Amino acid sequence: MVARSVTTTPPPLPLWVMFRLGLFQMGLGMMSILVLGVLNRIMIKELAVPATLVTLTIAMHQFVSPVRVWFGQLSDAHPIGGQHRTGYIWGGAVAFTLVAYTIVQVIWQVGESLGQSGWNGVTQAWIALLGVLFAAYGICVSSSSTPFAALLVDVSEEDNRGKLVGIVWSMLTVGIVVGAILSGVLLQQLEIDTPIALLRSSVNQLFLTVLGVVLLLAIVSTWGVEAKYSRYAVRTTHPQRTEHITLGRALKILTANSQTWLFFIFLVLMTLSLFIQEPVLEPFGGEVFGMTIAETTRLNAYWGMGTLVGLSLTGFLIVPRLGKIQTTKYGCLAVAVMFLLLIVAGVTQQAWLFKLELFLFGIAAGITTTGALSLMLDLTAAETAGTFIGAWGLAQAIARGSATVLGGAALDVGRQLFGVPILAYSLVFCLPMLGMVLAISLLQRVDVSQFQQQSQRAIASVLAEDLD
């Protein structure tokens, strides 16, 4: 592969290529079901590991998120085979699928040790190893997903970015739905008190199947896209000197912009509030509504289908009419209302209302996500696209990791305080309402034009250091 000449103007990105790029996100959606749906439920419910410890261990894959900035800068400055993103995407995909399967095998060892010996040193050692593996998984995902998000900036323009985000993140939701359905089918034979041996065999087969599909999707989705459609070279104001933008200099450009800090904090609050329900949703279905593993896994399909509707409508209809900031604002308000309705569904214990609410929650989440991600890609400088994407990914990862831990911890606190499952879960669902209100107050101060002006001044200043 040969790097394209800076004088060549790439063709516009076709609609079908946007959908093909979405296959990568589809794979990540399937992975999220395996990690936060299947494994989370098994450890908390079937293996009886405390929820706080489970969520803290799983969250390790988010707490290593600072490496996202490094991987983003690495892909900016050090192309592989003449391309800035593709090699990192493929290598990371191979790594995170291998690590994910290893995690499953260690989880069985945790359960076996806990059942035979309780919380002795051997069990604690297995838990520690599990935390290390989840951290390794997070590093591998970051090495793939951060260059992928930067690739979306490289191949898109401001006028088609909302559409691209809507399509690509719709495919993420398709992956969640497909993963939920596939998991439900392969785990259909499992009941609430299924023997561990049968559970182990079924889950291992599920992971082998899904991980193979995810790896294939990562390769197919990005094959040849960067070479033909990337605008990285033609956008860069100093293409011959971008390799001199080291990590330190990239961070200097990043932190010189006041809008960067503002949007970073907004992303943390918004993402934290949106995903705090994720680690407790399956246990909620099991404890409050008496659902089996297959039934609680399929809950993600209702949420996913709603999100798919929200993403599709927002990218093609809502963002072009309301703009990215207003779309995000209304989405945040809708999410806050959905958490209130989630409590109502639990109090009434009507399963059909619970499923309907999850569908509506998904629509609100889709609106919020599309608006915020479209705005995120606008708040990215061409010369350091990977670094900025790494920073935004860091904000989201910190928030999702914190949401995982906070959700589990709040559930344990609620159980201690109230002793009644619905009240414990209601405590969890009240927290994101406040978070969304605070996020909206920050969003009102975001200004894209001010960001662009400050970024260009910072880039010019850093590059001028080479002339001194």
Side-chain angles (χ1 to χ4, degrees):
M1 293 181 287
V2 180
R4 184 176 51 248
S5 168
V6 297
T7 61
T8 302
T9 301
L13 190 68
L15 189 63
W16 72 272
V17 177
M18 294 184 185
F19 278 99
R20 182 153 72 89
L21 283 167
L23 293 175
F24 177 84
Q25 289 291 84
M26 180 176 172
L28 292 186
M30 296 172 71
M31 290 296 301
S32 71
I33 288 296
L34 295 184
V35 174
L36 285 174
V38 177
L39 296 185
N40 178 66
R41 158 73 191 246
I42 287 172
M43 284 193 286
I44 292 177
K45 190 73 171 62
E46 276 62 41
L47 301 183
V49 181
T52 301
L53 186 58
V54 171
T55 53
L56 180 61
T57 303
I58 293 177
M60 290 301 298
H61 84 281
Q62 300 286 11
F63 290 146
V64 296
S65 55
V67 300
R68 291 173 181 263
V69 179
W70 181 69
F71 280 119
Q73 186 273 333
L74 198 64
S75 69
D76 284 338
H78 301 285
I80 296 175
Q83 297 186 35
H84 285 270
R85 317 298 181 190
T86 307
Y88 293 96
I89 294 170
W90 292 357
V94 171
F96 72 67
T97 52
L98 290 175
V99 174
Y101 189 74
T102 305
I103 285 173
V104 180
Q105 308 317 307
V106 173
I107 285 175
W108 303 130
Q109 297 302 318
V110 170
E112 183 177 337
S113 179
L114 184 60
Q116 293 178 353
S117 308
W119 287 104
N120 62 3
V122 175
T123 304
Q124 293 170 12
W126 281 118
I127 287 286
L129 176 59
L130 192 60
V132 171
L133 286 172
F134 269 111
Y137 172 76
I139 292 172
C140 295
V141 170
S142 296
S143 70
S144 184
S145 62
T146 301
F148 175 79
L151 177 63
L152 298 184
V153 177
D154 295 344
V155 301
S156 65
E157 301 284 0
E158 186 175 349
D159 60 354
N160 69 354
R161 201 158 282 157
K163 184 184 297 184
L164 177 62
V165 167
I167 291 173
V168 170
W169 264 264
S170 292
M171 295 294 283
L172 173 70
T173 308
V174 169
I176 292 174
V177 174
V178 170
I181 294 174
L182 182 59
S183 298
V185 170
L186 293 179
L187 302 178
Q188 184 64 49
Q189 75 276 22
L190 303 182
E191 300 296 336
I192 291 180
D193 296 320
T194 297
I196 294 298
L198 177 57
L199 178 67
R200 179 172 182 167
S201 174
S202 299
V203 172
N204 282 346
Q205 182 59 49
L206 171 66
F207 269 74
L208 281 174
T209 301
V210 174
L211 292 177
V213 172
V214 168
L215 181 57
L216 180 62
L217 290 177
I219 296 172
V220 171
S221 66
T222 52
W223 188 285
V225 173
E226 182 176 7
K228 186 173 182 179
Y229 299 105
S230 177
R231 288 155 171 75
Y232 181 86
V234 298
R235 280 184 183 151
T236 305
T237 55
H238 303 275
Q240 72 281 10
R241 290 160 60 202
T242 52
E243 69 274 11
H244 297 303
I245 300 181
T246 61
L247 179 59
R249 289 177 173 180
L251 291 175
K252 185 176 180 180
I253 294 170
L254 190 70
T255 56
N257 197 323
S258 61
Q259 288 290 313
T260 300
W261 291 107
L262 186 63
F263 190 67
F264 186 94
I265 298 173
F266 160 76
L267 273 182
V268 169
L269 276 174
M270 185 272 292
T271 308
L272 177 67
S273 302
L274 190 60
F275 289 100
I276 196 171
Q277 50 79 28
E278 197 170 45
V280 301
L281 186 61
E282 283 81 5
F284 180 57
E287 288 190 56
V288 176
F289 295 93
M291 295 178 172
T292 65
I293 295 178
E295 288 173 330
T296 57
T297 300
R298 282 196 294 268
L299 290 175
N300 292 279
Y302 296 103
W303 184 88
M305 287 186 288
T307 305
L308 182 59
V309 172
L311 288 167
S312 302
L313 290 176
T314 308
F316 285 87
L317 297 176
I318 301 178
V319 167
R321 287 166 173 76
L322 297 182
K324 295 161 188 173
I325 291 181
Q326 286 298 103
T327 297
T328 308
K329 173 185 174 182
Y330 291 130
C332 289
L333 285 172
V335 168
V337 173
M338 289 305 107
F339 275 108
L340 178 60
L341 294 181
L342 196 58
I343 295 174
V344 173
V347 171
T348 60
Q349 291 190 323
Q350 296 294 319
W352 67 268
L353 181 60
F354 178 35
K355 295 172 184 177
L356 175 61
E357 195 284 331
L358 287 178
F359 177 75
L360 297 175
F361 186 99
I363 294 177
I367 294 172
T368 305
T369 300
T370 305
L373 291 175
S374 299
L375 188 58
M376 179 188 80
L377 297 186
D378 283 351
L379 294 169
T380 300
E383 289 84 351
T384 53
T387 306
F388 272 92
I389 291 296
W392 306 144
L394 171 61
Q396 292 173 302
I398 288 173
R400 293 197 68 166
S402 300
T404 301
V405 175
L406 184 58
L411 178 59
D412 284 345
V413 170
R415 284 170 171 165
Q416 291 294 323
L417 290 176
F418 306 115
V420 179
I422 182 57
L423 294 180
Y425 285 101
S426 296
L427 175 63
V428 179
F429 300 146
C430 282
L431 297 178
M433 297 184 202
L434 175 61
M436 282 300 185
V437 172
L438 294 175
I440 291 171
S441 67
L442 290 172
L443 181 64
Q444 305 280 33
R445 298 163 54 193
V446 173
D447 187 325
V448 175
S449 61
Q450 183 180 343
F451 166 84
Q452 292 171 344
Q453 293 170 5
Q454 292 181 358
S455 293
Q456 287 307 312
R457 286 197 297 267
I459 291 169
S461 175
V462 166
L463 293 178
E465 293 176 2
D466 288 335
L467 302 177
D468 295 338

